[in-house]
Amino acid sequence: MLSKLQLLSVFFEDELIYKLYLRTQVIHKLFETNPEIDINKLELFHVQFTTSLVDLLRKIKKNNENNVSLVLDEIQLTKEMIDQMDDNALTEQDFKIDRQRQALKVNLSLRKLYQVLSDNSNDYPFSKNINAFSLRYGSDFFYNITPELYNELVQYNYNDTYHNTNAIIQRKLMGILLKREFRTEFYCGLKAGNLILEVYKFMDEDRYFLFSPANNLFLFCDVTKLSGVENNSNLSKKEKLAHELQDKIDKQQSDVVTMKSYMPPEIKSLLAENYKKIADINFLQSLSDVDVQANILKAMLNTDII
């Protein structure tokens, strides 16, 4: 009986249970050093108190272990999900590299467009696969905007543009691009349903323009209209979800330690009361009091608290 109680005190690592174990040892020692005391009373003590205590603690232990097992299973499944997402997800590093390539393609295309318009040529000015970037990264890395905002951003006066069968660009925008030697960088991507916009920023200048791949349209872009759009992170949706899931795993792994030895406050209060009684009473003269406490312990075994 002492061995069982000792193992449970080690499992729960709870000061109160350890004190109960020590007090039970003291009671045993009392019988060892006083052979004239009726040994049957020790057996009665175990029947009334220790057996019920051990059964109660074992029930809590089993319940805790079941809860921990469920959490560990969830952690494992979540890890497998993250691994699958990592295998399929486009990473932030992929996006950083490819957006630099896309900016280079757009800059070269604009330079070629300037030459085509200047020569009044019908040559196709755009770099190969210029639309592949938005098709690849649009769903995960581009930010959602409303159709109303999309329509507002692509509004323009046709008379203020250079245009041919291949592209439309605002006259003033072409002038600024020529002056800045077509040096721009990718700023962010926007989408309204299946409609895509790419926003670019002039190098070393707080000025922006947009490119609409659907109709090869280039317009100045007022980025203050994007103030409500989240554009402070380049993590894909899958990467964001993976990070959130990993944070959840970290918390669950931390919680597992507490869950393993968790004890309902009501039961802890009862055990404290039991310890007080067996520590303070004259054990041999008040065995009936222990019997009352034992009945309470047994009743706890049949409650829904655990």
Side-chain angles (χ1 to χ4, degrees), residues 131-143:
N131 294 337
F133 175 76
S134 59
L135 291 174
R136 187 181 188 195
Y137 292 99
S139 61
D140 283 338
F141 286 85
F142 285 23
Y143 304 110

Side-chain angles (χ1 to χ4, degrees), residues 62-258:
K62 182 177 180 180
N63 186 66
N64 289 355
E65 288 174 336
N66 288 339
N67 291 336
V68 167
S69 179
L70 289 174
V71 173
L72 292 177
D73 287 345
E74 183 179 350
I75 288 174
Q76 182 58 38
L77 290 172
T78 304
K79 285 182 177 179
E80 292 174 3
M81 183 186 299
I82 292 174
D83 290 341
Q84 291 175 356
M85 292 170 62
D86 287 343
D87 291 340
N88 299 323
L90 295 167
T91 67
E92 180 182 1
Q93 188 61 30
D94 293 332
F95 180 62
K96 285 182 177 179
I97 293 172
D98 283 351
R99 73 180 185 179
Q100 293 174 352
R101 293 172 178 167
Q102 179 68 0
L104 179 60
K105 284 184 179 181
V106 168
N107 291 337
L108 291 173
S109 298
L110 286 167
R111 188 184 294 274
K112 181 68 180 294
L113 178 61
Y114 169 74
Q115 294 174 348
V116 167
L117 292 171
S118 298
D119 298 340
N120 197 24
S121 166
N122 288 324
D123 291 347
Y124 188 71
F126 293 100
S127 300
K128 183 179 179 181
N129 296 327
I130 195 170
N131 294 337
F133 175 76
S134 59
L135 291 174
R136 187 181 188 195
Y137 292 99
S139 61
D140 283 338
F141 286 85
F142 285 23
Y143 304 110
N144 290 310
I145 60 173
T146 64
E148 292 76 15
L149 178 56
Y150 175 89
N151 290 331
E152 184 178 349
L153 292 173
V154 298
Q155 289 297 316
Y156 67 96
N157 186 335
Y158 191 75
N159 294 327
D160 293 336
T161 65
Y162 295 116
H163 43 268
N164 63 12
T165 56
N166 295 313
I168 301 171
I169 185 170
Q170 283 180 317
R171 292 174 183 268
K172 290 184 179 180
L173 175 58
M174 179 61 85
I176 297 296
L177 285 165
L178 182 62
K179 185 177 179 181
R180 296 288 183 264
E181 298 181 342
F182 302 93
R183 296 178 63 251
T184 73
E185 60 184 349
F186 182 85
Y187 177 67
C188 72
L190 307 171
K191 61 179 180 177
N194 293 324
L195 300 172
I196 294 291
L197 295 176
E198 297 174 11
V199 181
Y200 291 83
K201 178 183 180 297
F202 286 96
M203 294 285 195
D204 305 320
E205 186 175 352
D206 194 23
R207 206 165 189 176
Y208 306 81
F209 69 92
L210 62 82
F211 166 48
S212 171
N215 52 358
N216 295 331
L217 172 67
F218 296 90
L219 302 173
F220 279 117
C221 180
D222 181 3
V223 293
T224 61
K225 295 180 179 179
L226 309 181
S227 58
V229 177
E230 178 191 6
N231 60 357
N232 59 355
S233 171
N234 291 323
L235 290 177
S236 73
K237 291 180 180 177
K238 289 180 180 178
E239 279 189 295
K240 287 178 182 177
L241 178 58
H243 287 186
E244 290 172 2
L245 291 174
Q246 185 59 54
D247 289 343
K248 181 181 178 182
I249 286 176
D250 293 341
K251 184 179 184 305
Q252 286 177 318
Q253 288 176 328
S254 176
D255 290 344
V256 160
V257 178
T258 304

Side-chain angles (χ1 to χ4, degrees), residues 36-50:
E36 72 278 4
I37 302 176
D38 184 1
I39 195 66
N40 291 320
K41 289 188 176 182
L42 178 61
E43 185 66 23
L44 179 61
F45 168 72
H46 283 316
V47 169
Q48 292 178 337
F49 176 76
T50 319

Side-chain angles (χ1 to χ4, degrees), residues 8 53 179 192 278 301:
L8 288 165
L53 175 62
K179 185 177 179 181
I278 67 171
L301 285 166

